[in-house]
Amino acid sequence: MNRQMRKQQIMTAAKKCFIYYGYKETGMRDIAKEAGVALGTLYSYYKNKEALFKAIDMPELADIRPAFEKKKEYIFFVAIDLFSKEGYDNVTMDAIAKAANTTRSQLYRFFSSKEDLFKQMLLSDHMVSYTDNLNKRNTELPLQMILEEVANSYFLFSKKKNQLLLLREVTRNSEKFPELLEIYYNYSMAGPCENLARYIVRYCHDHGVDGIDEDYMRRRTSVFLSSLQNYLLTNDIIVGINHRQPLDSFISSSVDVFMGFLRYSGYVS
């Protein structure tokens, strides 16, 4: 095979890897294996991955959602379903591979172990804090509307089956993975308390009320957000216990209570 043909073979293999795994996850070793050449041979054509990607001249490959990520998401869903039905301890990587219609070796291409799979589920992109965008919001809308928006955002993930099953497994296996509960706490409580408290202080300042202690406001927002967390826990996480109060009604009453405190304290009119 002449040099030009070998070069084309490498570029075809690289394109396939970038599409399947994504640019960031693809390594030179992956490309060499796909092309059927030695790693040293690959480096004799391209000094690094960046140079090879540039040679392909398809920048859109950097932005597409690779098949790798789609497959990974599917494995997440399959694994969560197995964990919820059989319990974390009773599920093996072989069982996950079989249920996901993949091989054991392919599964380990995604995850180093069952524990790694479990942790990656929790750290996937749906665990972005539901109050992160408050720092970009202006303070022109009524505060009550913002609080209702925050509460509704908190409950959004409970409407997604796989995310709810994941939270149940984290709760069920809390003694084995205390760090997972810490991650979830930071996502669902600590970070949002800080974000919401900072927004309320900014809201009050923009409406003529200054001198509010942000630490104190953080403690007060924790009471509000804890009520949301308690509703989710007893209504959706612990099977068999259901609130008689519908979610919309609960959100409305929780926001009213918090707004009542803010008005009583003279923070809002």
Side-chain angles (χ1 to χ4, degrees):
M1 183 181 293
N2 63 40
R3 186 172 177 82
Q4 187 58 39
M5 290 176 64
R6 179 73 74 187
K7 192 172 185 178
Q8 186 59 49
Q9 178 184 355
I10 290 172
M11 291 179 70
T12 299
K15 189 184 299 184
K16 183 176 179 180
C17 287
F18 288 138
I19 291 173
Y20 185 77
Y21 297 120
Y23 177 78
K24 292 174 67 175
E25 290 80 6
T26 296
M28 290 291 272
R29 193 175 299 277
D30 297 313
I31 297 170
K33 183 178 180 181
E34 180 65 33
V37 302
L39 187 59
T41 301
L42 178 60
Y43 277 110
S44 72
Y45 284 82
Y46 301 98
K47 65 179 181 179
N48 53 38
K49 183 175 72 171
E50 291 77 9
L52 177 49
F53 185 77
K54 186 176 181 180
I56 294 174
D57 194 26
M58 292 183 66
E60 62 270 20
L61 286 181
D63 299 321
I64 66 169
R65 186 182 181 210
F68 181 91
E69 287 300 321
K70 295 178 183 178
K71 183 69 173 180
K72 187 175 182 180
E73 191 172 279
Y74 178 66
I75 292 172
F76 278 165
F77 183 81
V78 168
I80 293 170
D81 191 50
L82 286 175
F83 289 150
S84 66
K85 290 177 179 176
E86 302 178 25
Y88 177 83
D89 284 336
N90 298 320
V91 176
T92 65
M93 289 290 272
D94 285 336
I96 295 171
K98 182 178 180 180
N101 195 28
T102 189
T103 65
R104 180 184 174 87
S105 61
Q106 286 176 328
L107 183 60
Y108 278 102
R109 176 71 174 79
F110 292 88
F111 313 102
S112 61
S113 64
K114 184 172 69 170
E115 291 77 11
D116 179 46
L117 188 159
F118 197 52
K119 290 177 183 179
Q120 284 197 43
M121 284 189 217
L122 192 62
L123 294 172
S124 57
D125 59 2
H126 70 260
M127 294 303 276
V128 174
S129 172
Y130 53 97
T131 57
D132 279 353
N133 68 339
L134 285 179
N135 65 326
K136 301 175 184 177
R137 300 291 298 272
N138 61 44
T139 57
E140 295 176 358
L141 292 174
L143 183 56
Q144 180 152 346
M145 186 180 298
I146 296 296
L147 293 176
E148 289 173 352
E149 181 181 298
V150 166
N152 278 294
S153 296
Y154 175 80
F155 287 105
L156 272 180
F157 82 95
S158 68
K159 297 177 181 179
K160 300 178 180 178
K161 179 184 176 183
N162 59 329
Q163 294 178 15
L164 192 57
L165 290 176
L166 172 60
L167 185 52
R168 284 177 181 164
E169 282 305 303
V170 171
T171 305
R172 187 182 301 170
N173 292 279
S174 58
E175 74 285 356
K176 295 179 184 176
F177 300 103
E179 73 275 16
L180 294 185
L181 278 182
E182 182 179 356
I183 292 169
Y184 174 68
Y185 174 78
N186 288 333
Y187 154 77
S188 66
M189 185 59 62
C193 281
E194 184 172 343
N195 294 338
L196 182 55
R198 189 177 294 122
Y199 177 84
I200 293 174
V201 170
R202 180 161 59 90
Y203 178 93
C204 292
H205 170 76
D206 291 350
H207 289 78
V209 180
D210 289 311
I212 300 175
D213 186 333
E214 192 170 307
D215 285 337
Y216 173 72
M217 185 58 68
R218 188 180 296 112
R219 292 194 295 272
R220 299 308 305 179
T221 58
S222 72
V223 175
F224 170 60
L225 297 180
S226 291
S227 69
L228 308 183
Q229 195 171 60
N230 183 66
Y231 183 98
L232 178 66
L233 181 66
T234 58
N235 200 64
D236 295 307
I237 304 303
I238 301 177
V239 179
I241 301 177
N242 291 289
H243 283 281
R244 293 181 179 177
Q245 187 178 17
L247 179 58
D248 289 346
S249 174
F250 170 78
I251 289 176
S252 179
S253 60
S254 295
V255 170
D256 285 346
V257 169
F258 191 35
M259 285 297 299
F261 156 74
L262 294 173
R263 292 191 184 98
Y264 177 79
S265 302
Y267 297 141
V268 297
S269 55

